[in-house]
Amino acid sequence: MHLILLGAPGAGKGTQGSHLSDRLGVPKIATGDILRAAVHAGTELGREAKQYMDAGELVPDSVILGLVREALADKAARGGAIFDGFPRNVSQAESLNAILQESERTLDAVVVLDVADEAIVERMSGRRTDPETGQVYHLTHNPPPAEVAERVVQREDDREETVRHRLEVYAAQTAPLIDFYEAAGLPVRRVDGTGSIEQVQERILSALGH
Ligand code: AP5
């Protein structure tokens, strides 16, 4: 299965993508995670990406498409993938279609996680990540266990003004993908992204017919 998880920053794509990956047995391809790993490793790509990420802007398509092509070529992704944070604009969506066609693959569905902006700002202020495992927590909704609580960190782009700018970028560049995929005849499933993490997971699985 090739599935796109769409949703504003903080809508829960990463959290739900990890659960879905376990449940459906296909890897998650999360461009934000790949970019953060490159920033952490101090590679040239990471240094280029960091300036855009810290400002809440999209990283140039040329950088992103190379990363996605590489991730899809991995043998673990031969049976499918869950795209988290990609595509981010119509140009990336068109490129994804072309990349999948090269290996005679097609998209199966798009899941859109709906969460209101104010709830998102609250989620982002409490988000913490374990730098060793990449596991994402929330101080209130999904607190880190005691053994990792000391080392969790806040993402640089989770400051409120940057989050608000990322929400604007989402509305202007990424939300139009909902119409794009509907017009292409792909099943686009809108799911309420509020409630507990488990409730949202059940809604997604049921929307996908699982
Ligand atoms: P990226 O990492 O993709 O960030 P994003 O889309 O802004 O999404 P987030 O990771 O912030 O949130 P999420 O939806 O995954 O939510 P999460 O599960 O963590 O991208 C970062 C940057 O990289 C971009 O700004 C851009 O610069 C660049 N980039 C990445 N991909 C790109 C691309 N394709 N093209 C160009 N540039 C690109 O949940 C958020 C919080 O809420 C967590 O604390 C979580 O524990 C909590 N939470 C989750 N679910 C619930 C729930 N049901 N109830 C309460 N709390 C919850």
Side-chain angles (χ1 to χ4, degrees), residues 7-16 31-33 35-36 49 52-53 56-61 64 84-88 92 123-124 126-128 136-138 141-142 155 157-158 166 193-197 200:
K13 303 179 298 295
T15 302
Q16 296 300 334
T31 42
D33 290 352
L35 291 169
R36 275 184 292 279
Y52 295 97
M53 298 171 80
E57 298 289 346
L58 296 185
V59 172
D61 292 354
I64 299 294
D84 158 12
F86 174 87
R88 226 43 181 227
Q92 290 186 10
R123 281 187 186 184
M124 305 297 238
R127 172 162 57 186
R128 296 293 183 274
V136 174
Y137 299 100
H138 188 282
H141 309 303
N142 182 22
R155 265 170 53 173
D157 57 350
D158 277 353
R166 287 163 62 199
T194 60
S196 73
I197 290 169
V200 177

Side-chain angles (χ1 to χ4, degrees), residues 23-41:
R23 185 77 177 248
L24 303 176
V26 292
K28 179 177 81 161
I29 297 179
T31 42
D33 290 352
I34 299 172
L35 291 169
R36 275 184 292 279
V39 171
H40 187 68

Side-chain angles (χ1 to χ4, degrees), residues 25-204:
V26 292
K28 179 177 81 161
I29 297 179
T31 42
D33 290 352
I34 299 172
L35 291 169
R36 275 184 292 279
V39 171
H40 187 68
T43 63
E44 194 183 326
L45 185 150
R47 281 195 296 278
E48 185 190 346
K50 188 175 188 310
Q51 52 186 313
Y52 295 97
M53 298 171 80
D54 287 352
E57 298 289 346
L58 296 185
V59 172
D61 292 354
S62 54
V63 174
I64 299 294
L65 293 171
L67 298 176
V68 171
R69 198 179 275 281
E70 200 176 309
L72 271 173
D74 192 290
K75 69 174 185 308
R78 279 190 199 143
I82 295 164
F83 297 101
D84 158 12
F86 174 87
R88 226 43 181 227
N89 55 33
V90 169
S91 163
Q92 290 186 10
E94 287 169 345
S95 298
L96 176 61
N97 284 345
I99 293 171
L100 289 173
Q101 254 173 24
E102 285 166 16
S103 48
E104 297 178 358
R105 299 193 253 187
T106 49
L107 287 167
D108 295 287
V110 177
V111 171
V112 184
L113 287 175
D114 286 320
V115 179
D117 286 3
E118 285 316 309
I120 280 176
V121 173
E122 187 276 330
R123 281 187 186 184
M124 305 297 238
S125 66
R127 172 162 57 186
R128 296 293 183 274
T129 308
D130 181 346
E132 286 189 18
T133 63
Q135 179 69 42
V136 174
Y137 299 100
H138 188 282
L139 294 179
T140 314
H141 309 303
N142 182 22
E147 61 274 20
V148 301
E150 295 274 302
R151 66 172 189 246
V152 294
V153 292
Q154 185 168 27
R155 265 170 53 173
E156 298 230 351
D157 57 350
D158 277 353
R159 285 180 301 125
E160 183 171 338
E161 64 270 28
T162 314
V163 170
R164 292 203 184 272
H165 182 60
R166 287 163 62 199
L167 287 168
E168 288 168 4
V169 171
Y170 175 79
Q173 300 199 45
T174 311
L177 290 178
I178 298 170
D179 286 347
F180 174 88
Y181 283 119
E182 276 176 345
L186 211 64
V188 176
R189 309 287 183 226
R190 296 199 78 132
V191 171
D192 176 3
T194 60
S196 73
I197 290 169
E198 294 73 22
Q199 282 171 329
V200 177
Q201 179 74 182
E202 283 313 312
R203 283 184 209 132
I204 295 174

